[in-house]
Amino acid sequence: MSDTSGWGPQPGPYGWHPNPWGPPPPPPPKPGVIPLAPLGVDHVLGGTFATMRRYAKPLFGTAGAAYALLAAVMTAALLLAYAATRDHFHALYEPGATFSWEHGRPLLLAFGAVWATGLLASLAVNSFIQAACAATLHEAVLGRPAPFRAVWRRAWSRTPAVTGVTLLLALILLLPLAAFTLLFVSFFVTVLTDSTAPFGLVFLLFLLVLPLAAWLYVLFAFAPAAAVLESAGPLTALRRSARLVRGAWWRTFGISLLAGVIVAIVSLAFRLPLQFAAPQPPEVTPDTDTSELLFDQLRSQFGLYALLGLVGTLLTQLLATLFLPLVTALLYIDRRIRKEGLAHTLTAATQQPAPPSAHR
């Protein structure tokens, strides 16, 4: 895959301005999935769908392999936790057993370690997929091939930087997240004590903090793309994102929100038919045999309907995981074109021969 060092900050403005005293200018070049000019909403969304269609192998291949690796890690962690606490597990769940910390503490520690492993592994996998989206888009914009191996190698090398961006952004959003958590805690306190004062105060705080969280999230939305396409470190990527979003916050927010709505509509379009086709729960009567009831419930949970639901959930999750980072990365490129004249650099790059790695 080609070096991304040429995607660093570029001097000078850029735009496609018609000449009022002469013939209309030629259309901007379009070597890949987008024209090399300031992008409209149709170009951003169309370029995203075109990238997913033309570069399905590197995108869906890397994402599928990453999720398969995540599933293997979680399965191994669960098996190890069960093997280490098997005796304690059976001691708690054998007939007539009562809870005791002698057996409960090892179970909590073991499966708490599984939860922490899953959290860290999910963070790494999601960061890797974001890096793979940006690495694939780098070649898609130039109209070059993006081999699976090259995308994997480039994404893997930038995964630590994207992970650092994600962790820093989580720290920045810690106050809004704390307010959101406090809102739920106060809701349960309100339900248990029949007092509305704590919930009302926290809800007001949440309404005040929510716009701040949205503003910060959009302000640093371009940081993962900058970490990959400019080979920037986490702090540098966050600063780059803030500079690029400045002056276009509402546009970035609106198009990102539209992309989220598209993903939600696609998800609902698949889930609603399954909801109507869901099997009816077995009818329970005083004479119903318990084993027969459990068998019917298992059959409904693990039958064809459950398989279709699982496949649909995985596909919609995969779509959201790829679609949203691609939209954000294209918005990043659009801002670079508008503010820094990146289109000139991209046009020059298309006139150079592709590196040997792009043909493998």
Side-chain angles (χ1 to χ4, degrees):
M1 182 166 294
S2 60
D3 184 18
T4 57
S5 58
W7 285 53
Q10 306 292 324
Y14 183 81
W16 295 90
H17 302 291
N19 181 3
W21 307 108
K30 187 180 179 182
V33 296
I34 57 169
L36 302 184
L39 305 178
V41 179
D42 55 336
H43 296 131
V44 173
L45 297 179
T48 300
F49 285 115
T51 303
M52 296 178 71
R53 183 177 66 255
R54 299 181 193 177
Y55 296 85
K57 182 179 178 180
L59 284 175
F60 290 95
T62 53
Y67 278 128
L69 182 61
L70 175 62
V73 168
M74 291 306 301
T75 301
L78 285 170
L79 291 176
L80 288 175
Y82 177 73
T85 59
R86 182 186 312 171
D87 295 337
H88 300 286
F89 184 83
H90 290 299
L92 284 178
Y93 285 92
E94 64 184 6
T98 58
F99 179 83
S100 90
W101 279 109
E102 179 185 356
H103 299 296
R105 188 180 297 107
L107 287 175
L108 292 176
L109 291 176
F111 288 97
V114 171
W115 176 82
T117 300
L119 187 64
L120 294 175
S122 298
L123 173 64
V125 164
N126 288 329
S127 299
F128 172 80
I129 293 175
Q130 288 190 72
C133 288
T136 303
L137 192 62
H138 176 275
E139 304 303 325
V141 168
L142 300 176
R144 294 174 177 173
F148 175 86
R149 184 180 300 178
V151 170
W152 183 282
R153 185 166 55 247
R154 178 63 185 169
W156 181 254
S157 68
R158 300 310 303 163
T159 294
V162 178
T163 302
V165 166
T166 304
L167 291 175
L168 288 175
L169 187 56
L171 290 175
I172 292 171
L173 296 175
L174 189 61
L175 179 60
L177 290 175
F180 186 72
T181 303
L182 188 60
L183 178 68
F184 274 95
V185 172
S186 66
F187 174 76
F188 286 111
V189 170
T190 300
V191 171
L192 294 175
T193 62
D194 294 330
S195 173
T196 59
F199 180 74
L201 292 175
V202 174
F203 184 71
L204 179 61
L205 174 64
F206 179 71
L207 289 181
L208 294 175
V209 172
L210 185 61
L212 174 63
W215 180 74
L216 290 173
Y217 182 81
V218 174
L219 186 68
F220 299 117
F222 295 160
V228 178
L229 297 178
E230 299 182 31
S231 298
L235 289 174
T236 302
L238 290 171
R239 287 194 294 266
R240 285 286 292 148
S241 177
R243 283 197 293 268
L244 291 171
V245 171
R246 191 176 298 121
W249 190 94
W250 282 106
R251 185 174 188 272
T252 305
F253 172 76
I255 298 177
S256 300
L257 182 61
L258 177 60
V261 170
I262 291 174
V263 170
I265 290 174
V266 172
S267 178
L268 284 176
F270 187 87
R271 291 176 182 273
L272 285 179
L274 283 180
Q275 292 291 333
F276 288 110
Q280 294 294 328
E283 185 177 354
V284 180
T285 64
D287 299 329
T288 302
D289 183 67
T290 304
S291 61
E292 181 181 352
L293 177 63
L294 290 175
F295 178 75
D296 289 339
Q297 289 179 341
L298 289 174
R299 184 170 54 187
S300 64
Q301 291 295 323
F302 296 98
L304 179 61
Y305 168 77
L307 179 62
L308 290 175
L310 177 62
V311 171
T313 300
L314 291 176
L315 289 177
T316 53
Q317 177 65 30
L318 193 60
L319 171 66
T321 304
L322 295 176
F323 185 77
L324 297 177
L326 286 174
V327 169
T328 304
L330 279 174
L331 288 172
Y332 157 85
I333 293 173
D334 173 60
R335 291 300 297 162
R336 295 286 309 279
I337 289 174
R338 293 173 185 269
K339 293 191 68 173
E340 300 176 350
L342 182 64
H344 292 300
T345 303
L346 297 178
T347 302
T350 60
Q351 299 170 357
Q352 300 174 358
S357 61
H359 298 292
R360 294 176 188 170

